[in-house]
Amino acid sequence: MKISIIGAGNIGGLTVLRLAEAGFSDIVLVDIAKGKAEGKALDLEDAGAILKYNYCIQGTEDIAKVKDSDIIIITAGLTRKPGMNREDLLNKNARILKEVCLGIKKVSPDAVVIIVTNPIDLMTYLALKIMGSKPYKVFGMGISLDAARFTNLISKELNIPYTDIEAYVIGNHGEGMLPLPRFTTIKGMKLDERLEDKKIQALMKKTLERGHEIVSLSGSAYFAPAQAITVMVKAIAKDEKRILGVSAYLNGEYNTKDICIGVPCRLGKEGIEQIIELDLNKEEESAFLRSAESIRKHLKLIRPFCHGL
Ligand code: APR
């Protein structure tokens, strides 16, 4: 199995290490910055020699080297800097994504592609349009990371292990995300049977603010994102049929059409093998539709990048 990662920054570099440790032995790391991917690949291979793991990591500036990859992860792009608004980030990253996706399309049109570049839901949509791939082959990472954050906060609040918690979050990977306490369980018991509503609301708010909290304290989040990507790659490579939250292209599911947004999906060797439709109540459904709307209203900003394809 050949895995390629575009973007050898914080998330890309750490993801390579996690994947190599998980037993993936043929990895290509690409970055536009001269020498960056090559240098990281050498360092990562030295780490393998310490562990006596025989993996091979090729670092390069040449995107054509991702040829015939089974899975490609895109982490190329900017992180939001203080003073940069979302639209600036969107424009800059859309430009980068377009270049990267056109490169992938030439040499690896059938790969499963995982988008990590922010804003994830819009970048996933753009990647799909540029590559013209089947919608189940291209999806975004974001929302499973938010579910992990919700899990962690519940665990700390109730002093119980992560393994006892099954947390659900849907919606956009951003302010419009929707933690779902009614679907979240602790050892099979509903969260609202274990915690009073006021506490649940506070945990939901903290989940929403978590990304911003980490960025303002340490500059960026990459440990948990790299872990979330690794779990997805394993689910695909090992055909696990595991349910994980991903930004998926909806075509009528959840009464939503023609956007990518976070929903639970069954992942297997083809990519998304099933979109799971949760039985939302009226209130949850309107919150989800609001979240979808917040993505849809930005679609006009990325449409110019689809012209002339
Ligand atoms: N091709 C390849 N690599 C590129 C390109 C390109 N066209 N443009 C930028 N890059 C590389 C940069 O050189 C940098 O090494 O992408 C890398 C991004 O790394 P970091 O700045 O460390 O960002 P990181 O924290 O890894 O986040 C990457 O994921 O979660 C999102 O918001 C985050 O959009 C950001 C992305």
Side-chain angles (χ1 to χ4, degrees):
M1 168 136 312
K2 175 172 173 178
I3 318 262
S4 294
I5 301 183
I6 323 287
N10 285 327
I11 298 177
L14 188 57
T15 301
V16 174
L17 181 63
R18 290 281 171 263
L19 291 174
E21 285 172 346
F24 293 97
S25 56
D26 181 8
I27 303 176
V28 175
L29 180 62
V30 185
D31 201 288
I32 200 168
K34 198 165 168 33
K36 186 167 184 175
E38 204 182 338
K40 287 211 176 180
L42 296 178
D43 191 13
L44 284 156
E45 282 199 338
D46 291 347
I50 295 169
L51 293 166
K52 309 290 182 210
Y53 285 4
N54 290 308
Y55 52 71
C56 169
I57 300 167
Q58 187 188 358
T60 177
E61 286 138 41
D62 180 8
I63 196 148
K65 295 271 164 52
V66 309
K67 189 172 188 314
D68 298 333
S69 295
D70 298 287
I71 303 174
I72 301 178
I73 302 137
I74 305 182
T75 72
L78 307 181
T79 51
R80 191 148 71 127
K81 302 281 176 304
M84 185 192 267
N85 66 33
R86 277 183 187 276
E87 289 184 12
D88 281 348
L89 181 73
L90 198 148
N91 267 309
K92 292 200 163 76
N93 281 351
R95 211 172 294 275
I96 291 172
L97 209 89
K98 181 168 185 177
E99 181 189 326
V100 167
C101 289
L102 288 173
I104 293 173
K105 191 179 171 181
K106 274 194 206 141
V107 294
S108 244
D110 298 322
V112 171
V113 179
I114 304 176
I115 309 295
V116 182
T117 305
N118 267 319
I120 286 178
D121 303 290
L122 288 160
M123 292 301 113
T124 304
Y125 183 89
L126 181 61
L128 253 174
K129 296 291 164 189
I130 291 172
M131 292 193 286
S133 310
K134 305 224 166 49
Y136 57 85
K137 290 269 188 189
V138 179
F139 51 88
M141 180 275 285
I143 212 80
S144 61
L145 176 61
D146 299 316
R149 289 170 172 164
F150 196 30
T151 301
N152 187 21
L153 291 163
I154 295 168
S155 159
K156 294 292 177 303
E157 177 66 34
L158 290 168
N159 195 23
I160 49 172
Y162 303 137
T163 44
D164 288 354
I165 305 166
E166 190 72 50
Y168 277 82
V169 180
I170 57 172
N172 82 24
H173 179 57
E175 282 101 32
M177 80 174 73
L178 187 61
L180 289 175
R182 220 167 53 83
F183 291 86
T184 297
T185 54
I186 295 154
K187 276 192 160 174
M189 191 188 269
K190 286 188 175 162
L191 181 62
D192 54 8
E193 291 168 26
R194 288 291 304 265
L195 261 181
E196 61 186 76
D197 190 53
K198 226 169 97 189
K199 284 258 162 68
I200 295 176
Q201 294 302 326
L203 294 182
M204 288 166 68
K205 184 165 177 287
K206 270 191 172 175
T207 304
L208 230 114
E209 293 165 352
R210 189 67 157 195
H212 181 70
E213 183 186 6
I214 295 170
V215 169
S216 61
L217 288 168
S218 65
S220 72
Y222 51 94
F223 293 107
Q227 211 62 269
I229 299 163
T230 305
V231 166
M232 281 179 187
V233 171
K234 277 199 219 160
I236 299 158
K238 298 186 197 303
D239 196 22
E240 287 174 352
K241 320 282 187 202
R242 181 169 175 187
I243 296 174
L244 291 165
V246 300
S247 183
Y249 181 83
L250 298 190
N251 188 22
E253 299 87 353
Y254 289 90
N255 292 324
T256 302
K257 251 183 182 242
D258 198 34
I259 58 161
C260 293
I261 187 166
V263 289
C265 291
R266 193 179 302 282
L267 299 188
K269 63 179 185 324
E270 299 298 331
I272 295 178
E273 298 196 346
Q274 186 191 1
I275 293 173
I276 311 286
E277 285 201 70
L278 299 172
D279 189 15
L280 302 181
N281 64 23
K282 281 262 167 307
E283 201 183 322
E284 290 157 348
E285 190 183 1
S286 22
F288 181 81
L289 294 176
R290 276 199 303 280
S291 183
E293 213 34 58
S294 71
I295 296 174
R296 196 182 304 284
K297 73 171 189 234
H298 286 108
L299 282 185
K300 63 178 183 304
L301 297 171
I302 59 167
R303 290 231 159 82
F305 295 93
C306 302
H307 287 157
L309 294 170

